[in-house]
Amino acid sequence: MIDYSEYSAPELVRMLGKKFKDFRILAKMTQKDVAEMTGLTIPTIQRFENGQSKNINLSTFLLLMKAVGSLNMLEELLTDEPESLYLYSESKKKIQRIRHKKR
């Protein structure tokens, strides 16, 4: 299993761009097709796929994934993990927020 916490944000964006290119090719779509569907420019898509983009807006990434029919692949990223016992107070109620004790 890869420890993604070791990567910088620009490195993660580069990795996502390369993976997105694979999804686009699997969908048999050109960069022009994706640009037309998303309203993004071809150079923007090229920079993302080639790792030249150091940042991408989350909504833009979701739009791109939707355009190539791979939005459901996010399920792997968004899986529910079992809740930690540390999220519950001594009275067995789920903690809703953190409050500092008054001094």
Side-chain angles (χ1 to χ4, degrees):
M1 181 179 254
I2 298 174
D3 182 6
Y4 291 102
S5 65
E6 300 295 321
Y7 293 92
S8 68
E11 289 172 320
L12 292 169
V13 171
R14 274 192 289 278
M15 292 167 71
L16 288 173
K18 288 178 183 179
K19 194 67 171 167
F20 171 76
K21 183 176 182 178
D22 293 342
F23 288 133
R24 179 181 60 77
I25 291 170
L26 282 171
K28 295 181 173 51
M29 295 178 72
T30 65
Q31 291 174 337
K32 183 179 179 184
D33 295 333
V34 174
E36 289 172 355
M37 287 186 71
T38 62
L40 299 172
T41 64
I42 293 172
T44 298
I45 295 166
Q46 288 172 336
R47 282 191 303 274
F48 178 53
E49 288 185 352
N50 295 330
Q52 296 169 338
S53 178
K54 294 182 176 145
N55 193 5
I56 187 169
N57 186 306
L58 177 60
S59 60
T60 301
F61 178 68
L62 295 174
L63 183 66
L64 287 166
M65 293 294 284
K66 187 175 182 178
V68 297
S70 296
L71 194 58
N72 288 336
M73 296 301 291
L74 295 176
E75 186 175 324
E76 295 174 20
L77 299 174
L78 302 174
T79 57
D80 291 334
E81 292 189 17
E83 285 190 340
S84 169
L85 295 176
Y86 294 109
L87 294 176
Y88 291 89
S89 67
E90 293 173 8
S91 61
K92 308 289 187 229
K93 291 184 181 177
K94 187 168 183 180
I95 297 171
Q96 298 296 317
R97 67 186 112 187
I98 302 297
R99 294 183 188 196
H100 295 287
K101 294 183 180 181
K102 294 181 182 179
R103 298 179 191 195

